[in-house]
């Protein structure tokens, strides 16, 4: 059984069985224009880092961010290092005020907590992402374009609404999806896995399933 939680008119569901940094931060710091990560960067749990511009991980380098605090970014995120470029239990906040931002690069990025808080436009995916804990929709939309946002078995969506939502803006040409994996034990009543926007009532033990939301 499905119940409308966001605009379902274009939503489908499918079920399937110049700064180079090598620092350890424990306080607030502001980087201007472009933060170029070529070496390990650690943001401790007590730290807030503000990048007034873009962040780029350099291909072929040992660049890696261990983020246990909060990393705020007003520009684009480009991961040209590897899928392990970002680790830690912290939050990355996309909070531009005058323009859209992109998450891309040659490699996927795994975020622990990812927050979309862009009052100047959308956050656009040009590469797949993983969200291991919380994907928070505060201000602005997350436009999947042709990419996938994977919540795995532990990620979930919060604060999504009609005005701040996960979408594909060009539904004629883009095929982006968001997906989550859950276990159905047969005792589900109006279960909304990862708050992805469906409600499932089920009386069969189906094991692990993947819910795919497309547009």
């Amino acid at each position: 059984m499905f119940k409308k939680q966001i605009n379902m008119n274009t939503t489908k569901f499918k079920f399937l069985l110049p700064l180079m940094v090598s620092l350890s931060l424990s306080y607030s710091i502001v980087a201007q224009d472009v933060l170029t990560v070529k070496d390990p960067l650690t943001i401790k749990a007590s730290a807030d880092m503000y990048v007034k511009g873009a962040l780029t991980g350099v291909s072929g380098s040992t660049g890696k961010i261990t983020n246990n605090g909060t990393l705020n970014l007003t520009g684009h995120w480009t991961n040209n290092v590897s899928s392990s470029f970002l680790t830690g239990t912290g939050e990355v906040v996309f909070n531009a005020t005058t323009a859209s931002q992109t998450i891309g690069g040659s490699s996927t990025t795994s975020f622990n907590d990812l927050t979309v808080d862009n009052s100047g436009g959308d956050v656009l995916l040009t590469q797949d992402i993983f969200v291991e804990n919380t994907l928070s929709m505060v201000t602005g939309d997350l436009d999947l374009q042709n990419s996938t946002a994977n919540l795995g078995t532990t990620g979930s969506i919060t604060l999504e609404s009609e005005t701040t939502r996960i979408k594909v803006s060009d539904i004629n040409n883009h095929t982006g999806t968001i997906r989550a994996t859950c276990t159905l034990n047969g005792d589900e009543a109006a279960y909304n896995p990862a708050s992805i926007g469906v409600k499932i009532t089920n009386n069969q033990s189906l094991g692990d399933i993947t819910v795919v939301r497309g547009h």
Side-chain angles (χ1 to χ4, degrees):
M1 180 175 66
F2 300 85
K3 291 185 179 180
K4 178 177 178 180
Q5 291 194 333
I6 61 171
N7 186 347
M8 303 290 285
N9 292 334
T10 58
T11 302
K12 301 181 295 184
F13 293 87
K14 180 168 61 176
F15 296 85
L16 304 176
L17 245 161
L19 175 64
M20 292 172 281
V21 175
S22 179
L23 297 173
S24 180
L25 302 176
S26 57
Y27 49 86
S28 296
I29 188 170
V30 177
Q32 300 286 341
D33 297 330
V34 179
L35 174 64
T36 302
V37 181
K38 295 182 66 177
D39 295 296
L41 165 64
T42 299
I43 305 171
K44 295 185 177 180
S46 57
D48 291 293
M49 184 169 184
Y50 297 86
V51 180
K52 293 186 176 180
L55 184 148
T56 299
V58 178
S59 176
S61 73
T62 59
K64 180 178 180 179
I65 300 173
T66 303
N67 176 27
N68 293 313
T70 302
L71 172 57
N72 300 273
L73 181 70
T74 65
H76 304 309
W77 176 283
T78 305
N79 174 10
N80 289 330
V81 181
S82 71
S83 59
S84 60
F85 175 60
L86 177 67
T87 61
T89 59
E91 178 185 16
V92 177
V93 182
F94 287 79
N95 55 3
T97 58
T98 59
S100 293
Q101 296 170 272
T102 62
I103 303 176
S106 59
S107 296
T108 61
T109 300
S110 293
F111 297 91
N112 181 61
D113 289 326
L114 171 62
T115 296
V116 176
D117 190 10
N118 185 324
S119 60
D122 295 338
V123 175
L124 312 172
L125 295 190
T126 59
Q127 174 63 274
D128 296 344
I129 62 169
F130 290 84
V131 180
E132 299 174 1
N133 189 36
T134 302
L135 171 55
S136 299
M137 302 299 301
V138 178
T139 306
D141 295 339
L142 177 65
D143 191 341
L144 302 170
Q145 299 195 112
N146 285 316
S147 299
T148 295
N150 196 330
L151 301 173
T153 60
T154 58
S156 63
I157 304 165
T158 63
L159 304 177
E160 187 177 22
S161 68
E162 292 282 355
T163 56
T164 304
R165 62 193 180 95
I166 302 164
K167 68 181 184 182
V168 171
S169 58
D170 185 355
I171 59 173
N172 293 317
N173 297 297
H174 292 164
T175 59
T177 59
I178 184 164
R179 58 179 59 206
T181 300
C182 61
T183 302
L184 296 184
N185 297 314
D187 56 357
E188 290 78 25
Y191 172 49
N192 182 5
S195 297
I196 203 170
V198 301
K199 289 189 176 181
I200 301 171
T201 295
N202 169 59
N203 61 5
Q204 300 293 321
S205 180
L206 299 178
D208 292 342
I209 69 165
T210 298
V211 184
V212 181
R213 171 177 147 189
H215 302 80

